[in-house]
Amino acid sequence: MTDYTRLADTTRIDFTSAGEVNATGHLLVSLLQHHGGFQYPPLTSPGLKHIQRQCAAWLSQLSRHAAMIAPHEVLQAIAYYDILHRVTTGKPGTQLVNTQIIRAFSAATDGDTRVDETELMQAIDNGRRMADPLHTSGPHNTWFVATLRKWLTQMQTSDFSISTSATPDRQLNRASIILAQSPALLPGLKEIRKEIASGYLRYCEQTLHADAPTLLAMLRFTGAILSA
């Protein structure tokens, strides 16, 4: 049997590289799933304990280096921080996550176009799902709702189909975020939900070959339809 725990080594990771941190976080989540780390009560095995130690090391290193990562890259780096913090420590990791979201939000609203709008919306949406007041009120909430309305206008302009205005994965992720919202938040959403779903599903059905980001976005999108 293959010893997948060897993949969990975090000692060679450059924790100032958002891409490396993100990839390692994704791997650790996958390894935890494989070894029963998300079960309750969790399984106990030498392999799982090793992965949990690597998770703790990853969390510690990222907490030390997050401030060194540029605001337009840090959202990618912290994507798996909260879930790994919850599984490893039993407590949310929102303090660090929110600090970094604030950095990215401030950079974006100050005109840094390198901050990915979709990533920032996903990060704020995650906070809203947890009823975090940082994201459900104040500037974050105002910007979030305004951006949702802008996206809806763009979708209507392109007849709810994948356009050339942005990459397919970005448009699918935006559709997923919109479908996850309460109709009370966005006037007219209840009526156009089917148009969003059918328009973007046509792209998914007709696309035989897609890159990894687009395939992942398709998965999120179909999940959002089922949950809507």
Side-chain angles (χ1 to χ4, degrees):
M1 184 175 178
T2 304
D3 182 11
Y4 294 108
T5 61
R6 290 180 296 177
L7 299 172
D9 183 11
T10 60
T11 58
R12 298 183 181 181
I13 302 303
D14 178 2
F15 280 89
T16 63
S17 168
E20 286 192 36
V21 173
N22 179 278
T24 310
H26 190 177
L27 175 61
L28 289 171
V29 169
S30 298
L31 289 171
L32 282 172
Q33 289 175 321
H34 179 76
H35 287 271
F38 288 97
Q39 294 187 27
Y40 186 82
L43 299 178
T44 56
S45 68
L48 179 57
K49 288 181 179 179
H50 172 72
I51 294 167
Q52 290 169 332
R53 287 194 295 270
Q54 292 300 312
C55 289
W58 184 90
L59 291 165
S60 176
Q61 288 293 326
L62 182 52
S63 66
R64 290 174 55 196
H65 291 89
M68 303 178 193
I69 302 173
H72 69 279
E73 296 179 333
V74 76
L75 294 177
Q76 181 185 14
I78 64 170
Y80 297 99
Y81 185 89
D82 186 56
I83 187 171
L84 287 175
H85 197 280
R86 289 173 187 269
V87 173
T88 304
T89 70
K91 300 176 183 179
T94 49
Q95 183 174 354
L96 179 138
V97 169
N98 280 347
T99 297
Q100 302 312 318
I101 293 175
I102 290 170
R103 286 182 63 217
F105 181 81
S106 297
T109 53
D110 285 344
D112 188 346
T113 57
R114 297 174 298 174
V115 178
D116 188 284
E117 183 178 75
T118 308
E119 283 187 359
L120 183 54
M121 286 287 284
Q122 286 175 324
I124 292 176
D125 189 41
N126 288 338
R128 293 172 66 86
R129 290 170 188 269
M130 300 293 180
D132 189 327
L134 174 66
H135 307 298
T136 57
S137 61
H140 287 201
N141 177 67
T142 302
W143 180 82
F144 183 85
V145 175
T147 304
L148 287 175
R149 288 173 177 157
K150 180 182 73 174
W151 287 356
L152 270 179
T153 299
Q154 292 170 345
M155 288 180 178
Q156 290 169 321
T157 301
S158 62
D159 295 324
F160 300 100
S161 62
I162 298 292
S163 67
T164 58
S165 62
T167 58
D169 62 295
R170 184 168 297 173
Q171 293 178 76
L172 287 163
N173 283 329
R174 290 178 177 183
S176 299
I177 294 172
I178 289 175
L179 289 175
Q181 306 309 311
S182 165
L185 182 66
L186 290 170
L189 177 58
K190 185 176 181 179
E191 291 74 18
I192 63 176
R193 215 184 267 275
K194 289 184 179 179
E195 295 181 78
I196 296 174
S198 61
Y200 284 73
L201 269 177
R202 282 195 294 272
Y203 174 84
C204 297
E205 292 169 349
Q206 296 166 4
T207 303
L208 299 178
H209 304 286
D211 57 18
T214 301
L215 288 172
L216 182 58
M218 287 180 182
L219 181 62
R220 290 180 181 138
F221 176 67
T222 53
I225 291 175
L226 293 173
S227 301

